[in-house]
Amino acid sequence: MRSRSLRPAGLLLLLAALAACTDDRQPADGGAGDIGGTLVLVVPARPGNLLPLYADRAQSKQITDLVYERLAEIGPGLNTVGEEGFEPRLARSWEWSDDSLAITFHLDPAARWHDGTPVRAADVRFTFELNMDSTAQSVDREYLAAIDSVTTPDSLTVTVWAARRTPEQFYDAAGRLSILPRHLLADTPRGQLTEHALASSPMGSGPFRFVRAVPNQLVELAADTAYHLGRPPLDRVVISIAGTPVAATTQLLAGDADVYEALRPENMAQVAKTSDLVARIVPAAQYSFLLFNLRAPDDPQRPHPVFGDRATRRALSMLVDREGLTRAVFDSLAVVGVGPFPRVLPVADTTLRQIPFDVARGEALLDSLGWRDADGDGVRERSGQPLAFTLTVPSSSSFRMRMGELLQRQLAASGVKVDVDVVEFNVMGSRLMSGHFDSALHQWALGDGSPAGLQATWGSVDGQPATQNYGGYVSETFDAQVDSGLAAFDKAERQAHFSRAFQTILDDAPAVWIYEPRQPFGIHARFQHPPLRPASWWIDLPRWSVPADKRIERDRAGLPAIARR
């Protein structure tokens, strides 16, 4: 096997170049100020498509959320009901119609695309039309069903019309979509947008500009000095692609990176002993689970020979010691999962009835279902079908790799054979999307406070799984309760519907909800920053700064020429 360098050559060259430069600029305020600095964010996996239409990975969104803007940004409280907490971005103000079916936004006339072209109402209308067009295949399309149309009374005014009132109407209109440059995308056939140049070289109107990308090594962003809300204090943000969690941690501890957001428990002591680093632990807006594929991998029209049976899934769930797994892998840096949601989701319910960890009961249920080890080889079988499956695990997550090993041992003790297949992150993604897998240790991250994502990840349409419902779970009861919850304005009624939806899916056991991580950050001590959000913490990077008296060599490089305008 070819060895992988723990410090990508491209990153070292960039840091060396930054250190060799001198910063002869004066800050915007003419004094010492906090203008200046380079933040290196190290990630264990490379980003995917960088056009917001298709940015469905955290590594992609960390870039697109800094390069592009929405009309308004959700606040730290993650409220998506009504407009409370939302902060102006491209829209500097808005008002509702008397019947609440329309919201009119007034754009900031100073907003510019990074090529200098003014941002106008036509860009906003184009963005909505593009995301709502099925041929474009946007990851956000199914969340826009309540949007009727978008009109532009003038070049700086946009009215978003709703087909019906919904609790998340403002979020759908203002906080869900990153606005796209019409003048660069309009002439491209919508079925070909995944291959557009912006998919790898994004160009938006946000606080940071794309500078360059070195494949599998780094992405460099620079502050936009002409940003309409004021240039960010930092000069640069460099996303360093480490390839593995171990390599990412090594970069942080060696001083080649400034932020890593997924430290292992044993690394916390190392961070504590490193004077230049501080640890921050926040509730993670993520939940991790053992996903069962309910469809046969070779024929999705047939049920999976093991997981297609609800009772078998429930029996297997009883064999999994979720608390023991969570404690063994994370110590105190995770809590046991309670359903398809993190606890920071506003409609989370931790009181739900769980399938218990009960090995004796689980084994008895398997016996009653005909899963018995008749030939004495240590593996149960039924009608010639072994109780065996492959568990796909991403190599980018040391946590899930360890979890896979422990799950394999737990289930083997009850006659269940598990083959753990560790694959590169993108390979795992391809398998999930194509349905060519038995089971997977998967994870969903909450990018905001909206439960609408449940429709895409666990819901169905006309009896067919939604786009990101990779396990093929279909339940009319679950769908109906989620739909009713999303439509409810009353807080108690909304919660009641979601609790019923969650209980339904827990009882059906399309997955085993194993753990919910707490997010352990390692951050260089020289940075000043606001409190870390539990979801999309990088949204606040435009507010991070490095005091002049705490800067290190790479902080003094100044802006690259491409960012000066």
Side-chain angles (χ1 to χ4, degrees), residues 396-424:
S396 61
S397 173
S398 57
F399 299 124
R400 281 184 271 175
M401 287 191 288
R402 174 64 175 152
M403 190 73 68
E405 296 172 0
L406 295 176
L407 267 170
Q408 183 182 49
R409 294 179 199 170
Q410 278 192 6
L411 294 175
S414 296
V416 183
K417 185 176 186 296
V418 179
D419 293 317
V420 178
D421 188 14
V422 178
V423 300
E424 198 267 338

Side-chain angles (χ1 to χ4, degrees), residues 211-266:
V211 176
R212 65 168 181 146
V214 179
N216 299 318
Q217 293 185 15
L218 63 88
V219 175
E220 181 185 358
L221 308 178
D224 180 17
T225 59
Y227 181 51
H228 65 105
L229 294 179
R231 70 147 286 175
L234 293 175
D235 284 335
R236 303 173 191 245
V237 173
V238 177
I239 294 86
S240 171
I241 304 163
T244 69
V246 171
T249 303
T250 299
Q251 283 192 29
L252 179 72
L253 295 174
D256 294 331
D258 299 310
V259 180
Y260 180 45
E261 58 179 307
L263 290 172
R264 289 182 60 86
E266 60 266 26

Side-chain angles (χ1 to χ4, degrees), residues 417-485:
K417 185 176 186 296
V418 179
D419 293 317
V420 178
D421 188 14
V422 178
V423 300
E424 198 267 338
F425 182 83
N426 292 319
V427 173
M428 177 169 163
S430 297
R431 290 185 183 178
L432 291 175
M433 287 186 285
S434 66
H436 293 151
F437 72 101
D438 286 326
S439 68
L441 277 177
H442 196 27
Q443 178 172 282
W444 284 123
L446 180 73
D448 50 42
S450 173
L454 291 164
Q455 293 176 315
T457 52
W458 300 103
S460 60
V461 180
D462 297 328
Q464 295 300 312
T467 53
Q468 295 173 298
N469 182 357
Y470 302 135
Y473 175 66
V474 175
S475 166
E476 291 183 2
T477 300
F478 175 84
D479 291 339
Q481 292 297 335
V482 170
D483 289 346
S484 296

